[in-house]
Amino acid sequence: MRSTPRLAEPPSPALVTGVLNILIAEDNPEDLVLTVRELKKSDLKLQIKTVSTRAAFVEILQSDPIDVALSDFRMGDWTGIDALTEIIKFNADIPLILVTGTLGDLKAVECIKLGITDYVLKHQLARLPMAIIRAHEERALRQSQKLAAEAVRQSEARYRTLVENAPEAIVVLDVDQGCFVDCNNNALRLFGMKREDLLTCGPGELSPLFQPDGRHSIVAAQLWAARAATNESAGFEWIHRHAAGSNIPCEVHLVQLESPNRQLVRASILDITERKRSEEAVRESEARYRDLVNNAMYGICWVSPEGALLDTNPALVRMLGYDSVESLLSTRDSEILFGDSAFRERILAETGATDRADLTVDWKRRDGKEITVRLIGRRALDPRRKTVCIEVIVEEMTERLALEKQLRQAQKFEAIGQLAGGIAHDFNNMIGAILGWAELGMDETEAATRLHRHFEKVRHQAIRAAALTRQLLAFARRQILEPRDIDLNQSVTETLGLLENVIGSNIEIKRNLTSTLAVVRADPTQIEQVIMNLCINARDAMPEGGRLVIETSESFFDEPGLVAQAHAKPGRYAMLAVTDSGTGMDAGTLDRIFEPFFTTKDLSKGTGLGLATVYGIVRQHGGFLHVYSEVGIGTTFRMYLPITTAAATASPITPDDNQPIRGGSGLILIAEDHDGLRELARETLEGLGYSVLTARDGEEAVREFENHRDQIELLLFDVVLPKMNGPKAYARICALKPNVPIIFATGYSPEIEMLQEVQRQGLSILQKPYVPRELARRVREALDRSAVKTQRA
């Protein structure tokens, strides 16, 4: 036994022809560079691939032909021995040379025993090309010996006639070498291999890694071969593997063959796939019935071709509300399950004609409640009676169809909301300009003049148009909210105080308010509008009078409880219910009640925006609505709003400021891209004594400020401006002169997202459409606050 690799004079590189594919495993980049450099200095034609991880090493072994592998002894979390192991797993005849810094004699002997071909120390890299040549030629010698052995095996014609004419697959195994030395054509067909390929393998290589009894295939095959080599009878079942990867259950019989210099064993292999398949089919048939009856998630039943119930499973029993399988089967005829018996006849006919049927129908539970189910039927064999029957799989669709309907409704409202919000946003600017110019016209004309009355009518119509756009923005959830912590009970009480005369004396109003109702975070004006719209809608549903009940309470919803409300979050909710005893609504009306401009009233009595506004306001507050109605009985609207945890009591509402308007003399920079609004603001402020500069976009506003930075006392910017939006332009200005007073004008809630930072700074926001009086008041307030801060500084 040699303890170190041979140091004899190596062959000449000229003896190596062609390109050698070299795989180098090295995790040290510097060592890798030195190794590759030394190899390239040789006269060898090399194709070099390098890896640093075990996974990459395996991947190249699987995909690329490799003639010689080089490996460092230690590489992070794997070693050169691991590399040898992977080569062995692939049964690849690839010489492995260790290229390492240090390796003692004992370790070198151990590596050689394990199968390492050679080793080269890193400070002796000049030896590496010759070590590769020697390893390559040894490999070529081994391959030549294997080819020679195969030639000898093929020349042994004494077994050929017997082997080739046998009905089963036959192979001859050389026990010492562990590989086959002969086979017949049936063996080639069994394994799906060519003869030359099969005769390079052994039984372990043509089998899965483990046999069904848990034994390693290679170990078990060696044991069976050893027993047969000692004349011991050996017959057993075995799993072989086809070249395509499929397993082949086999029955194997081994017998020893006489040979003067080798231990040979003949194996007769019978494919028992069909026999196993038949046995498995019987077992599966028995298990299928048992599993379907006891464990299926869907309802399953078997009916005769005439429709009689033969058997069922517990899932269907639960679905239909029966006590047991026996109680359901006692109904005997499946017709009792169908809301319309014509569907039963249809599924029986389709299954009889085409062997399959797929229908969605209404079924009746034991308690009379209707459910929607999908029935998938097929012709089958009754597992108990062994007669033809119809197997029906039943899936309840009631909840899914309801959720799909709600999803379609939500998608429809979202699309309508985007359209309505976009229109309302654009109209806001135009209406603001009309409203403002009308008010200026009224201020500049005598009250008794005809022109003043004309301006007043224009203003009145503009106010109505502004209210319409606010309703559209509410539905689209794009209005500006001013939320505070409020008591929902107080909002109900105050709103009803305003509505009692409007609702009418023929309607009885009853309140049932929970005294311990928690605080909600909401815009009090918007919630008041919700309550008012719901109460007026209830009044209109009771033209002959009736009862109006308003209730509040608390509810908790977990995630399953909100499955139909995708936008809502689990938690505590305050509930407001408005119930009337009016005419009620049918299903078609219920599907459309929240659509803008949809109304069941006469065109002269409603715009169809009341409930649409309610829908938008509640959604924008993070809440949701639930409606229940029956024709001739009445309707209940339930509104759910998230309960706030930020405060324990409601915040008081600040009264409106009724102070007279004051003017001034400072310089104000206005940035507004809408010509009408920009001119309105300029006219209003100049009329109050202020000096005004105007800009059409954000970049122009910054330039104007740069030119008049010491004179400008206040900025009035629209949020959305061409070229540069208002907040960005303001940030550029603050970099030139910090803390310049500003008022941002907006009428569209998505724009508020751009103002989050300025809101935290307490800067003023003016909602569109605004009138000259409101603009003047807000400008004066901003200038006064700035003056106070300057004095304190």
Side-chain angles (χ1 to χ4, degrees):
M1 180 185 300
R2 57 190 178 92
S3 59
T4 58
R6 299 188 302 271
L7 300 177
E9 184 66 26
S12 169
L15 297 178
V16 179
T17 60
V19 177
L20 292 181
N21 293 299
I22 306 298
L23 174 58
I24 304 176
E26 174 60 72
D27 64 344
N28 188 317
E30 296 179 356
D31 290 348
L32 179 61
V33 169
L34 293 175
T35 301
V36 173
R37 182 185 301 166
E38 191 63 34
L39 291 177
K40 290 183 176 180
K41 288 164 55 178
S42 69
D43 295 329
L44 295 173
K45 296 179 182 179
L46 302 177
Q47 182 70 37
I48 300 175
K49 292 183 174 62
T50 65
V51 297
S52 60
T53 66
R54 187 170 185 170
F57 186 86
V58 172
E59 183 178 355
I60 290 182
L61 287 180
Q62 290 175 320
S63 60
D64 297 335
I66 300 300
D67 296 308
V68 179
L70 310 180
S71 173
D72 197 354
F73 185 74
R74 289 186 177 85
M75 298 171 287
D77 58 351
W78 67 302
T79 67
I81 303 302
D82 294 328
L84 177 64
T85 302
E86 296 298 341
I87 292 173
I88 294 173
K89 284 182 181 179
F90 283 96
N91 293 312
D93 186 9
I94 300 175
L96 178 64
I97 300 172
L98 290 180
V99 181
T100 182
T102 58
L103 193 68
D105 289 345
L106 293 178
K107 179 60 69 175
V109 171
E110 180 182 346
C111 290
I112 296 303
K113 287 181 178 180
L114 292 174
I116 299 295
T117 301
D118 202 347
Y119 78 92
V120 175
L121 298 178
K122 290 185 177 181
H123 65 273
Q124 297 177 344
L125 289 177
R127 291 188 54 245
L128 189 55
M130 295 308 165
I132 290 174
I133 294 171
R134 184 168 54 247
H136 175 67
E137 292 192 345
E138 288 178 355
R139 179 194 185 198
L141 179 60
R142 286 194 301 272
Q143 292 175 345
S144 298
Q145 291 173 343
K146 187 175 290 187
L147 292 174
E150 182 176 340
V152 172
R153 286 193 297 271
Q154 290 179 350
S155 68
E156 296 174 352
R158 57 185 176 143
Y159 301 110
R160 183 58 52 204
T161 300
L162 176 63
V163 169
E164 288 299 334
N165 293 301
E168 68 269 30
I170 294 180
V171 292
V172 178
L173 174 68
D174 187 320
V175 177
D176 296 326
Q177 292 189 11
C179 63
F180 298 123
V181 296
D182 205 352
C183 66
N184 67 354
N185 289 331
N186 282 339
L188 301 179
R189 286 189 288 270
L190 178 69
F191 293 112
M193 300 176 68
K194 296 180 180 179
R195 181 179 299 273
E196 57 269 23
D197 295 329
L198 180 60
L199 297 184
T200 62
C201 302
E205 297 166 274
L206 300 179
S207 307
L209 191 59
F210 295 96
Q211 290 298 308
D213 60 5
R215 292 189 299 171
H216 197 287
S217 293
I218 294 177
V219 176
Q222 291 173 345
L223 292 175
W224 281 116
R227 291 174 59 178
T230 58
N231 276 328
E232 185 177 345
S233 177
F236 52 91
E237 289 190 359
W238 188 264
I239 301 295
H240 276 299
R241 174 159 291 175
H242 191 272
S246 59
N247 288 341
I248 312 169
C250 299
E251 188 174 87
V252 181
H253 292 275
L254 302 182
V255 63
Q256 181 188 25
L257 293 180
E258 293 184 3
S259 176
N261 54 4
R262 290 188 293 178
Q263 292 190 80
L264 300 179
V265 172
R266 188 194 71 178
S268 299
I269 306 172
L270 180 65
D271 184 350
I272 58 173
T273 301
E274 290 302 322
R275 187 174 80 191
K276 289 292 184 180
R277 190 171 295 160
S278 299
E279 294 173 355
E280 183 65 22
V282 173
R283 288 194 297 270
E284 287 180 356
S285 177
E286 295 172 351
R288 182 190 66 177
Y289 176 77
R290 188 165 53 251
D291 291 342
L292 288 178
V293 169
N294 298 317
N295 302 315
M297 297 298 293
Y298 294 109
I300 301 174
C301 63
W302 291 267
V303 297
S304 70
E306 296 73 33
L309 278 172
L310 302 176
D311 210 342
T312 184
N313 72 335
L316 187 61
V317 173
R318 293 190 296 271
M319 185 186 302
L320 296 175
Y322 284 83
D323 299 327
S324 62
V325 171
E326 291 72 23
S327 64
L328 176 55
L329 293 179
S330 66
T331 60
R332 296 184 181 276
D333 196 339
S334 61
E335 185 176 3
I336 194 174
L337 305 176
F338 286 82
D340 184 348
S341 60
F343 286 106
R344 187 192 78 143
E345 302 306 321
R346 179 178 169 185
I347 192 170
L348 293 176
E350 287 188 8
T351 307
T354 64
D355 291 341
R356 294 191 67 83
D358 190 338
L359 296 176
T360 299
V361 301
D362 290 332
W363 267 16
K364 292 182 292 186
R365 286 170 46 91
R366 187 178 188 179
D367 56 12
K369 178 182 177 182
E370 283 197 350
I371 59 174
T372 303
V373 296
R374 181 187 180 192
L375 307 179
I376 302 175
R378 70 177 185 92
R379 289 172 61 87
L381 184 67
D382 179 8
R384 290 185 178 178
R385 300 166 184 81
K386 307 302 181 184
T387 58
V388 173
C389 67
I390 300 174
E391 181 183 79
V392 183
I393 299 176
V394 185
E395 178 185 7
E396 184 173 356
M397 305 284 288
T398 309
E399 183 177 353
R400 179 190 297 180
L401 292 176
L403 292 177
E404 289 176 353
K405 180 179 178 182
Q406 291 174 350
L407 177 60
R408 288 193 296 271
Q409 285 288 91
Q411 291 173 335
K412 177 174 69 175
F413 287 152
E414 188 66 26
I416 296 174
Q418 289 181 1
L419 176 62
I423 293 172
H425 174 238
D426 292 339
F427 270 109
N428 243 351
N429 285 336
M430 292 181 280
I431 292 169
I434 295 170
L435 183 60
W437 286 115
E439 286 211 355
L440 286 179
M442 290 175 60
D443 291 342
E444 295 177 2
T445 56
E446 295 293 332
T449 63
R450 183 181 179 189
L451 184 57
H452 184 89
R453 290 194 300 273
H454 289 174
F455 278 127
E456 187 174 11
K457 288 181 179 180
V458 172
R459 176 181 176 274
H460 177 70
Q461 294 301 317
I463 290 174
R464 291 187 62 186
L468 181 64
T469 59
R470 281 195 297 271
Q471 287 178 302
L472 288 173
L473 285 171
F475 171 75
R477 305 185 302 284
R478 286 163 170 80
Q479 61 182 343
I480 306 298
L481 297 180
E482 297 181 3
R484 54 173 59 92
D485 294 324
I486 65 171
D487 183 348
L488 196 57
N489 286 341
Q490 181 182 352
S491 298
V492 170
T493 302
E494 293 175 355
T495 306
L496 287 181
L498 298 173
L499 286 175
E500 285 180 343
N501 294 331
V502 177
I503 290 177
S505 59
N506 62 340
I507 295 177
E508 176 190 358
I509 301 177
K510 184 178 180 181
R511 307 178 192 181
N512 185 13
L513 308 180
T514 299
S515 59
T516 59
L517 191 65
V519 170
V520 297
R521 184 77 175 172
D523 186 320
T525 303
Q526 301 299 326
I527 297 304
E528 178 183 313
Q529 185 175 358
V530 168
I531 299 171
M532 188 176 299
N533 286 0
L534 290 178
C535 290
I536 291 175
N537 190 74
R539 178 204 66 182
D540 294 342
M542 299 182 288
E544 305 299 327
R547 171 180 289 189
L548 174 63
V549 181
I550 300 178
E551 305 171 80
T552 59
S553 65
E554 288 189 17
S555 300
F556 177 82
F557 291 93
D558 54 13
E559 288 189 4
L562 294 173
V563 66
Q565 308 292 341
H567 65 281
K569 297 179 180 179
R572 296 168 59 212
Y573 284 79
M575 187 277 294
L576 168 69
V578 178
T579 303
D580 65 67
S581 58
T583 56
M585 294 175 282
D586 58 23
T589 303
L590 277 174
D591 284 345
R592 302 189 61 192
I593 56 173
F594 295 122
E595 292 183 16
F597 306 113
F598 173 78
T599 179
T600 57
K601 304 172 187 175
D602 294 338
L603 294 177
S604 60
K605 295 183 179 180
T607 62
L609 283 173
L611 291 179
T613 302
V614 169
Y615 173 86
I617 291 173
V618 174
R619 280 288 302 273
Q620 194 170 11
H621 281 83
F624 58 93
L625 290 160
H626 180 268
V627 187
Y628 176 78
S629 185
E630 291 188 35
V631 176
I633 295 178
T635 302
T636 297
F637 284 86
R638 288 186 174 86
M639 172 184 73
Y640 295 91
L641 294 177
I643 290 175
T644 182
T645 57
T649 58
S651 303
I653 299 175
T654 304
D656 292 335
D657 182 11
N658 295 317
Q659 297 296 323
I661 297 173
R662 293 182 294 116
S665 58
L667 180 60
I668 300 173
L669 173 59
I670 300 173
E672 169 64 62
D673 62 322
H674 189 277
D675 295 339
L677 281 180
R678 186 174 62 254
E679 289 304 310
L680 171 66
R682 183 187 61 77
E683 185 85 14
T684 299
L685 296 178
E686 286 182 347
L688 293 170
Y690 299 105
S691 299
V692 176
L693 293 173
T694 61
R696 292 177 175 83
D697 57 63
E699 291 182 356
E700 185 181 357
V702 174
R703 289 196 300 271
E704 288 289 348
F705 184 84
E706 290 173 345
N707 296 332
H708 304 85
R709 57 183 295 176
D710 296 328
Q711 292 82 37
I712 293 176
E713 296 184 8
L714 179 67
L715 309 174
L716 174 61
F717 282 9
D718 191 9
V719 173
V720 177
L721 290 170
K723 299 183 180 179
M724 183 187 300
N725 64 44
K728 287 185 178 179
Y730 180 62
R732 291 274 296 274
I733 289 172
C734 286
L736 301 173
K737 184 178 179 180
N739 302 322
V740 180
I742 189 168
I743 299 173
F744 282 106
T746 180
Y748 197 49
S749 66
E751 296 173 0
I752 291 296
E753 297 177 2
M754 292 189 247
L755 297 173
Q756 290 178 353
E757 180 60 31
V758 297
Q759 279 184 307
R760 284 193 287 270
Q761 299 174 22
L763 300 180
S764 182
I765 298 176
L766 177 62
Q767 292 192 28
K768 294 181 179 180
Y770 55 79
V771 295
R773 179 177 297 273
E774 177 64 17
L775 172 62
R777 180 180 294 112
R778 297 295 288 275
V779 167
R780 189 65 260 167
E781 289 174 354
L783 289 172
D784 290 345
R785 282 197 303 270
S786 176
V788 171
K789 290 181 180 179
T790 302
Q791 291 174 1
R792 290 177 179 175

